[in-house]
Structure formats: structure tokens, C-alpha cells
Amino acid sequence: MYRKIIKRSLYNMRDSYLIYILACSFAIGVFGILISLGDNPSVRASLRSWNSFISEITIMMSGLFAFCAFVYMIYVGGFFIQQQRNEFITFKKLGMQRSIIVGISFIQTALVQTLAWFIGLLATLIFQKFMGMMLFFLMRLRFNFLMHISWNDIFLLAKLFFFSTLILSIVNSIKTIRILQKSKAKRTKKTRWWLRIPAGIFGLLLLLLAQLCTVSLFYDMHTISYSAKPLTEIFFVMLADVFGTYLVYFGFLPTILNVLQGIRSVSYSGINMFSFKYLKERLFQNISTLWFVTELSALALMLLTFCYFGYQAVHRNYNGAYPFELAADKNTVAVIKKELGNSKAKIKGEYKTPVKVNLVSYYKKDDRDFVRQPMTFMSYTDYMSLPRRMRKWNSKIDSHQFLKIDYNGSIFDSHHFKEHDIEVKDAPLISTVETGSSFPYGSSMHFGPMMIVPDDYYQKMPAEVEDTFYGWDFKKGDRLSAKQLNRLDGFRNSYYMKVNFKSSLSNSTIEVLKKEPVKYAPSIYTQAGFIRQGSLKKEFVQGGGFYLFIVSLFSVALLIALGSVLTLRILLRDDYQSRQLRTLQKIGVEENEIKRIVRRENTLTFLIPLIFALMQAVTSIAMSNTAGKSRNIILIYGGYVIFYGLFGFVSYQISWHGIKQKFSL
């Protein structure tokens, strides 16, 4: 008999259990693939320099993924126990022992989890090679990925299966015990409009203030290095979004439906006669779920935003450090050219630019201090003759303007602002300059900031040190061998500059040292002899591919979790709501009308969290300080909305299929 009860319960909720099992199986399959990557022999053979990093990052990511998946299983598993509430209470009234009812819940959960783990582990075996080859493709590795799962991984998966299934079964058993202890019928919750309406208005006010504060954040984010205002705004926006969204769900949206229901011209129009009350009651029941999904969706969009702009920042900083595959100065160019001739490198482009080094003094706003240091100067004409990638992240200037290029300490794009009153030794004061962070010939070639000045200013300005920079682009790399690089190691530093600062900038001087000083001091600056991309480019591409692989896995998993939570909340209607739909069927409401009610419920359930999540995600764009460069993030958000909408469409089809079967429509 007990076997038949479990079998009937699983069969009655087969559509919901199928969604839950597939979502859990996906999470288990991804987890199995992640832990198997760390000790895969093909990964170790192809990524010898990444061995420890790949192993550590996969362990960390798989642990985080397992924790999130376990929370999802506990949260969603409670939906099924709550759905069987009346069934368990009926069993108790019929005289069934409480321990047997709890045992049914325990066994039912264990069977579902066992099936999910079986499918998930099977997916690990089937898709491991495919996912491994995808990883190698993203990392641009020409290497065959071998299917491999070590005994340690198998033992770990077996332990996780046993303990996770046991814990989830115990948790659901405890929930069943609580239901049996409170076996009285559910009391109808009072609407309490006197509380909902003020709370909803206050929540709407919080969301409006959060959006206004977000607009302010777009203008203030660049001051975060020396002002507490952006952090205060971020903290306020996050709190206002979280609590404001919940209060809007709690009071404002139900109030709107209640008002519309009271307007006869609206509520007595077609399907609205039946749908307003139904939707309002469903909204009351699902407030916590909608709020939970909203915040998770906002978190997913924010993570995508930060991952995208973080990757862009790393990519930009790398290109800023190595704009040429090989760069040198006048003291090392002869040696470099000789080695390039021996390596038979195919030069695609060669550039040469004279520069001057002079002393400057100015107020640095970030440090709130006056700075005296040497600075490299380049003429406007020479600057504009370089490839466009050298000035991509700098402010645009004309032939009469000045541009100060400095290191970007932020991981995000810096706001370009103006600096003032830069004093230059034996040259006119520079009153106003534009700013940028993209160094010609690479930031690694420069010991400090750089200034782009008009041609006539450059010609008239005296120089403490004069130099010339060289840069090369190649077809398929510079082809320098290990022996050649060993010979070039002694030329990495071209010369050293010792600055003798006096009370006046005009009396200060620079002494050029050819030999490395025995003891470094703050007044000693080093000019690089040459910089080379070499293997760094390969490692950068591989790291970017691995980063994209991890972000994609987590994004898809989070999207599946969100979609399945909403779908299950729609499918798992309680008995009262099912009776409402059946009553509509009995009084003669046509199938198309009931279908429209289900479609409207499904649409609003998916659409409302998405709208509030998109509103909150704008804050992450403001924090990234990229208001004028958001074309790609709009495409990312658009892709998220499309996939999210596909889940909504599938959810509607499953929901309507279940209703047709249940009511024989």
C-alpha cells in the first residue's frame, strides 16, 4: 500500500518532478565535470604553467557551485512537501501513524534525489569530453581532451550523493512533521489593506529614490578613490532596491489589481471578470518567491555586468601594457634588430617616435598631494601617427590641446576629467590637460606619467633626457628563441635616472646612470630597455578562455535555476486554486478563456521579476562607470531576456498541458 501511495504521489506531480530532476541533474553534471577537470591528464599536459591555478580554481568553483545547488534543492524541495500538505493531513485523519507518513516523505525524497544523481552522473560521463573540448577551444589549445574521472573524484561524488540525499530527506521529513503538528486547516489570511497600501507606496518611493541615486552614481563613480559619496550611494541603492521591491510586491501590485477589480468597466470586460481575483490571490501566495527570483535575477545580471566589464578592463590593461608585440628604446634597438634578423621574423609594421623627459610638478587629486617627478613628453603629430589602438582609451584632443596619460588603478574604465596647473621645468605652465590611460608603446616602457603636447610646445621645451622609442608588429610572432631571450635579458633596463630635487623646480636636475644603483631610492627611476609580449599573449588568451568557460557555466546554471523555480511555483497549485479553475470550467467558461487566464498568470509571474531585476541591474552599469560604452552590455542583457523568455514560454506550455490533463479539457 505504501509503495502505491508513493507511486501515485510521484505520478500526480510528474511534470513538476521532471523539471526539478532535470534542473538538479544539470547541476550535478556540471559539478562532476568541474571537479574532474582539476586532475584531468590532458589538462595537465596542455597547461603545464597553469596546473596549480586550474586545480585550485576548479576546486573553488565546484565548491561554490555545489553549495548553491544544495540551497536550491532544499528551497525547491519544500514546494513538493507543501503541495502534499492536505494529503498528509488526510492520511493522519484516516489513522495512519505519523512515523509512516514521515517515512513516506523520506523515501519519496530519497527516490527523487537518487534519480537526479543517476541522470546527473550519466550526463557527466556523456558530456565530459564535449565540455573539455569546448574549454580547449575557448583557450585556443590544439590538444585532444581525454575523458578521465579519477577514483578520488568517484569517491567524492559517492560521498556527496549519500550525504546530500540523506540531509535533504531529513529536511523534508522535518517539514512533514511540522505539517502534521499543525494539522488544522489553514486560516484564511486577512488582506490588511491598511498595512499593504502604505507599505506599497513606501516601497515605490524607495525604488524611485534608488533610480535617482543611480543617475547620480553615473556622475560620481569616478570620485570613488578620494570620496565616500559613491560608496554611500551604492549602499543606499542596494538597500532601497531590495526592500523597495519586496514592499512593492507586498502592497503596491496587489493594490493595483484590487483597484482594477473595483472598476466595473475594466473588471467586467471579458476574461478580467475571472482573472483579477485569481491573479491577486496567486500574487499574495507567491510574494516571497517573486521577490527571491527578482533579487537572484538582479544578481545574475550584475554578475554578467561585472564579469563583462572586468574582462574588458583586464583586456584593456593588457593591451595598454603591450600595444606592440615588441618595443625598445634607442639604447637597445640595435641589439633587438640583430636578434630579429637571426630569428627570421616577418615584420608587419615598424614605428619610431622621439620623446623627451623633463621634470614636472602638479597637484594629484587622487592622493591629495603635490607631486614632483620626471615625465615623458611626445609631440601631437608623433602621437597621432601611431596606430589607433594606442589612443583608444584616451580623451580626444586636437593639435592645440594637452593630454596627460597616467596609470589606471581601477579595474573599471576611468572617467576622463581635466587636470590643471602642471608646472614644467623651463617651459610654460600647462593650465588645463585632458586625461587618459593608454600609453603609446605600452605602460611598461614608461617609468611614470606621459604628456602629449602641441608640436610647437614640444619643439621649444628643453629636455633633461632625450630618447627614441621603437615598436614592431609581426606575422605569427617575433620567433625569438630561448637562447636569444637569454642574451637579451641583460638589456631589459636601458638606463637609470637619479632626480636631484631642489626647492625650486628650475634648479632640480636629472642624472643619467648607466649602471644599476647599489641601493634604490624614491628619487631613482628606471627606463625599460625593451618589452615583449611573447608567452604572455598566449597565457592571456588561455586565461580569458577559461574565464569565459566558468562564467558561461554559472550563467546557464543560474538561469535554469530561476526558470525552474518560477515554473514549479506555477505548476504546483494548491487545491483551492485548482478548484477555482475547475469551477470556471463547470459554469461554462470556454477553454480559450481558461487558457488566457493561465497565460496571463504565467506572463506576469515571469515578467514582473524581470522588470524589477533590470531596474536594479542599471546600478551595476553605473558602478562600472561605463555610461557611454554600454552597447555590448545591452546585447548581453538582451540575450538574458531572450533565454529567460524561452523559459517562460516552456513553462506556459507545460502548465497548460498539465491543466488539460487534470481537467480533461
Side-chain angles (χ1 to χ4, degrees):
M1 182 182 69
Y2 304 135
R3 186 179 62 183
K4 290 183 179 180
I5 291 175
I6 295 173
K7 184 178 179 181
R8 182 174 57 83
S9 298
L10 295 176
Y11 180 79
N12 289 340
M13 294 186 290
R14 59 189 180 278
D15 291 339
S16 302
Y17 271 124
L18 178 62
I19 295 172
Y20 173 75
I21 289 172
L22 290 178
C24 293
S25 299
F26 176 83
I28 294 167
V30 171
F31 174 76
I33 291 172
L34 282 176
I35 63 170
S36 65
L37 286 177
D39 54 2
N40 190 286
S42 56
V43 173
R44 292 188 174 186
S46 59
L47 298 169
R48 296 185 184 277
S49 59
W50 291 84
N51 268 345
S52 59
F53 173 79
I54 292 291
S55 179
E56 292 171 2
I57 200 69
T58 51
I59 292 174
M60 183 179 68
M61 290 293 104
S62 59
L64 178 62
F65 194 87
F67 174 77
C68 296
F70 187 69
V71 171
Y72 167 84
M73 292 176 185
I74 291 179
Y75 179 72
V76 178
F79 293 175
F80 298 98
I81 300 300
Q82 194 63 32
Q83 182 71 10
Q84 293 180 276
R85 181 180 185 277
N86 293 334
E87 184 179 350
F88 290 152
I89 293 175
T90 302
F91 290 157
K92 181 183 177 183
K93 290 180 178 179
L94 292 175
M96 186 178 291
Q97 295 180 8
R98 180 180 298 182
S99 59
I100 295 176
I101 300 174
V102 173
I104 290 174
S105 173
F106 184 94
I107 295 172
Q108 195 169 290
T109 304
L111 288 176
V112 171
Q113 291 302 126
T114 301
L115 181 59
W117 270 91
F118 175 77
I119 298 176
L121 295 177
L122 193 62
T124 299
L125 296 175
I126 295 174
F127 294 104
Q128 186 198 42
K129 187 174 181 67
F130 171 77
M131 299 300 290
M133 293 305 295
M134 180 182 292
L135 173 63
F136 279 9
F137 173 78
L138 293 174
M139 298 181 74
R140 299 184 186 181
L141 295 173
R142 295 182 178 180
F143 205 88
N144 183 36
F145 183 87
L146 300 176
M147 183 175 173
H148 173 80
I149 297 180
S150 66
W151 285 107
N152 289 334
D153 294 338
I154 294 174
F155 184 64
L156 175 62
L157 290 171
K159 287 196 300 183
L160 288 175
F161 159 67
F162 176 77
F163 286 109
S164 65
T165 302
L166 180 63
I167 293 173
L168 287 171
S169 300
I170 292 174
V171 168
N172 284 348
S173 298
I174 294 173
K175 291 179 180 178
T176 304
I177 293 174
R178 293 183 62 186
I179 289 175
L180 296 176
Q181 288 174 345
K182 302 176 181 179
S183 58
K184 296 181 180 180
K186 272 190 174 180
R187 295 180 179 178
T188 304
K189 293 184 179 179
K190 295 182 179 180
T191 307
R192 296 181 299 178
W193 292 109
W194 59 270
L195 177 62
R196 289 184 181 273
I197 293 176
I201 294 174
F202 181 65
L204 186 64
L205 180 62
L206 283 177
L207 288 182
L208 290 175
L209 290 175
Q211 297 308 305
L212 292 175
C213 194
T214 300
V215 174
S216 175
L217 191 61
F218 275 104
Y219 296 96
D220 298 335
M221 192 63 195
H222 70 278
T223 66
I224 194 171
S225 59
Y226 56 87
S227 174
K229 186 179 179 182
L231 290 176
T232 305
E233 290 174 339
I234 291 171
F235 183 72
F236 172 78
V237 168
M238 292 178 66
L239 288 180
D241 279 335
V242 171
F243 291 104
T245 302
Y246 183 83
L247 292 177
V248 166
Y249 284 151
F250 177 78
F252 187 72
L253 292 180
T255 302
I256 291 178
L257 290 174
N258 196 55
V259 171
L260 291 176
Q261 188 180 356
I263 301 175
R264 299 180 66 87
S265 59
V266 177
S267 61
Y268 284 87
S269 174
I271 192 177
N272 293 341
M273 184 184 301
F274 309 108
S275 62
F276 274 126
K277 186 177 181 180
Y278 179 78
L279 290 174
K280 186 175 64 175
E281 291 173 351
R282 288 289 281 171
L283 185 62
F284 287 170
Q285 184 187 24
N286 295 329
I287 284 176
S288 60
T289 302
L290 291 176
W291 176 71
F292 178 74
V293 170
T294 298
E295 299 309 320
L296 276 186
S297 297
L299 177 63
L301 290 170
M302 288 182 177
L303 285 176
L304 287 174
T305 302
F306 290 132
C307 287
Y308 170 73
F309 285 121
Y311 179 78
Q312 287 290 97
V314 172
H315 193 273
R316 183 182 70 247
N317 290 338
Y318 170 79
N319 288 334
Y322 301 97
F324 288 113
E325 294 186 64
L326 186 62
D329 81 329
K330 68 177 183 180
N331 295 321
T332 57
V333 63
V335 180
I336 295 293
K337 285 185 175 181
K338 179 181 178 182
E339 297 295 344
L340 289 176
N342 295 332
S343 69
K344 299 180 180 180
K346 296 181 180 179
I347 298 175
K348 186 169 58 176
E350 185 174 359
Y351 299 87
K352 172 184 176 182
T353 305
V355 295
K356 294 180 179 180
V357 178
N358 203 353
L359 295 173
V360 299
S361 175
Y362 61 94
Y363 178 76
K364 195 169 184 179
K365 195 173 183 180
D366 291 354
D367 298 336
R368 297 183 180 182
D369 191 16
F370 281 95
V371 177
R372 295 191 302 173
Q373 63 182 167
M375 185 179 289
T376 306
F377 288 78
M378 182 183 293
S379 68
Y380 174 81
T381 300
D382 290 333
Y383 172 71
M384 296 301 293
S385 65
L386 293 171
R388 185 178 178 276
R389 65 178 185 270
M390 305 287 175
R391 53 183 186 273
K392 182 179 180 181
W393 301 101
N394 296 334
S395 299
K396 294 182 179 180
I397 59 172
D398 57 32
S399 59
H400 303 289
Q401 291 179 303
F402 296 82
L403 172 67
K404 178 175 173 286
I405 304 172
D406 207 343
Y407 298 99
N408 179 15
S410 171
I411 62 171
F412 296 117
D413 185 21
S414 293
H415 179 78
H416 291 153
F417 52 91
K418 295 182 179 181
E419 291 189 6
H420 304 278
D421 300 335
I422 298 181
E423 183 183 356
V424 184
K425 180 182 177 181
D426 299 332
L429 178 75
I430 301 176
S431 58
T432 304
V433 297
E434 303 291 337
T435 57
S437 59
S438 183
F439 283 85
Y441 292 91
S443 58
S444 302
M445 279 294 291
H446 299 268
F447 48 81
M450 184 177 190
M451 185 77 72
I452 308 300
V453 298
D455 292 352
D456 56 345
Y457 189 99
Y458 181 83
Q459 297 297 332
K460 296 177 182 178
M461 183 192 74
E464 291 290 315
V465 181
E466 293 190 9
D467 205 341
T468 303
F469 289 159
Y470 297 81
W472 295 271
D473 287 325
F474 304 94
K475 293 181 179 179
K476 299 182 180 181
D478 53 30
R479 300 185 181 181
L480 292 175
S481 64
K483 291 183 178 180
Q484 290 177 305
L485 293 175
N486 288 333
R487 288 196 295 266
L488 291 174
D489 274 341
F491 299 92
R492 289 196 177 275
N493 296 329
S494 179
Y495 54 87
Y496 306 87
M497 291 175 289
K498 183 179 180 181
V499 182
N500 302 308
F501 287 112
K502 304 297 183 181
S503 58
S504 173
L505 191 65
S506 58
N507 295 328
S508 302
T509 58
I510 296 178
E511 178 185 357
V512 177
L513 306 175
K514 291 295 184 180
K515 294 184 178 181
E516 182 178 2
V518 177
K519 185 178 181 181
Y520 281 91
S523 60
I524 295 178
Y525 298 83
T526 304
Q527 173 59 53
F530 75 96
I531 59 173
R532 175 179 178 267
Q533 284 184 354
S535 59
L536 288 176
K537 183 176 182 180
K538 180 180 178 181
E539 293 178 0
F540 177 79
V541 172
Q542 291 175 355
F546 184 77
Y547 176 84
L548 183 60
F549 177 79
I550 294 294
V551 170
S552 300
L553 279 182
F554 270 76
S555 301
V556 172
L558 187 56
L559 191 59
I560 290 175
L562 292 174
S564 62
V565 168
L566 287 178
T567 302
L568 289 172
R569 288 306 297 169
I570 292 173
L571 290 179
L572 296 174
R573 295 174 174 86
D574 60 25
D575 294 338
Y576 175 70
Q577 292 155 353
S578 298
R579 287 199 302 268
Q580 283 184 308
L581 293 177
R582 186 179 290 278
T583 300
L584 293 179
Q585 178 194 13
K586 289 180 178 180
I587 64 176
V589 177
E590 296 181 356
E591 178 182 336
N592 289 336
E593 295 296 308
I594 298 177
K595 188 174 184 180
R596 286 177 60 189
I597 292 176
V598 176
R599 182 167 62 241
R600 180 178 291 187
E601 176 199 1
N602 193 281
T603 301
L604 292 178
T605 303
F606 273 83
L607 185 61
I608 291 174
L610 180 63
I611 292 174
F612 284 102
L614 288 172
M615 290 171 56
Q616 296 181 28
V618 176
T619 306
S620 61
I621 300 178
M623 292 171 61
S624 302
N625 201 12
T626 51
K629 299 168 183 173
S630 56
R631 182 187 307 172
N632 291 335
I633 202 63
I634 290 175
L635 295 177
I636 293 175
Y637 281 18
Y640 181 88
V641 170
I642 290 173
F643 283 108
Y644 187 86
L646 287 175
F647 273 102
F649 177 76
V650 173
S651 172
Y652 162 69
Q653 294 294 334
I654 296 174
S655 178
W656 178 240
H657 173 73
I659 291 174
K660 286 183 67 176
Q661 280 191 335
K662 192 171 185 178
F663 298 154
S664 301
L665 292 175

